[in-house]
Amino acid sequence: MLELTMATVSGTEEGATAGMLMADAPSEPGAVLRVGRDKSVCRLATPEEWLFVSRVHLEFLCGPEGVWQVSWLRGSQPDPSSEVRLVVGEYAQTVAYGGTVQLPRGGNGEIVVTDRTGPRSVNVGFYHEA
C-alpha cells in the first residue's frame, strides 16, 4: 500500500496543512497515482492556476516486485518552471526533469515541488508499507 498526502503551500502559509488531500493505492504491479492540475486523471490535484505544476506532474507507479517509484513527467515546455526533490529523513535528492526515483520500501518521506518564480510549493508526503 502506498499512501499519499498533499498540501499546497504559498509563502504566507508556510507549514500550513489546511486543505490537505489524501490518496492511496495497493502495492500491486501497475497501480498508479498521479499528481497535477488535471483533475480528470490526477487523484491529487493542485490549483489550476498554479502553472508551475504540469497537467500531470508526478506519477507514482508500482513495479512488478510491489516497489513504488515516482516519475517527474516531462510537460509541454522544454525547461520546467519548478524543481522536484525527494526528502527521506536527513536525505534529500533532486529528481531530474523526466526522471524516475524508487521510493524506499517500508519508508516514508516527502516529494516537494517548488515554484522557481515564487514562494509556492506542493508537498506530497508518502508512506510505503513494507
Side-chain angles (χ1 to χ4, degrees):
M1 174 79 66
L2 180 70
E3 298 174 353
L4 301 178
T5 57
M6 182 185 79
T8 53
V9 181
S10 64
T12 58
E13 303 168 336
E14 193 65 38
T17 57
M20 188 173 287
L21 302 173
M22 300 174 73
D24 61 31
S27 292
E28 298 172 351
V32 176
L33 290 169
R34 294 183 183 94
V35 177
R37 290 182 294 125
D38 188 341
K39 291 178 180 156
S40 68
V41 293
C42 296
R43 290 272 304 274
L44 296 174
T46 63
E48 289 183 28
E49 66 276 6
W50 283 29
L51 300 179
F52 71 97
V53 177
S54 301
R55 284 178 44 334
V56 181
H57 201 86
L58 300 174
E59 181 177 82
F60 293 82
L61 174 66
C62 187
E65 302 297 318
V67 176
W68 286 86
Q69 63 184 29
V70 60
S71 298
W72 179 8
L73 303 178
R74 293 186 74 83
S76 59
Q77 302 299 316
D79 294 315
S81 55
S82 63
E83 295 177 355
V84 176
R85 286 180 298 126
L86 166 68
V87 181
V88 177
E90 298 293 317
Y91 174 79
Q93 172 183 350
T94 299
V95 179
Y97 187 45
T100 299
V101 176
Q102 185 171 310
L103 300 180
R105 188 174 204 136
N108 65 322
E110 187 172 45
I111 308 292
V112 181
V113 180
T114 307
D115 185 353
R116 287 185 171 168
T117 64
R120 297 182 295 186
S121 68
V122 177
N123 299 11
V124 181
F126 67 85
Y127 173 69
H128 182 197
E129 288 183 357

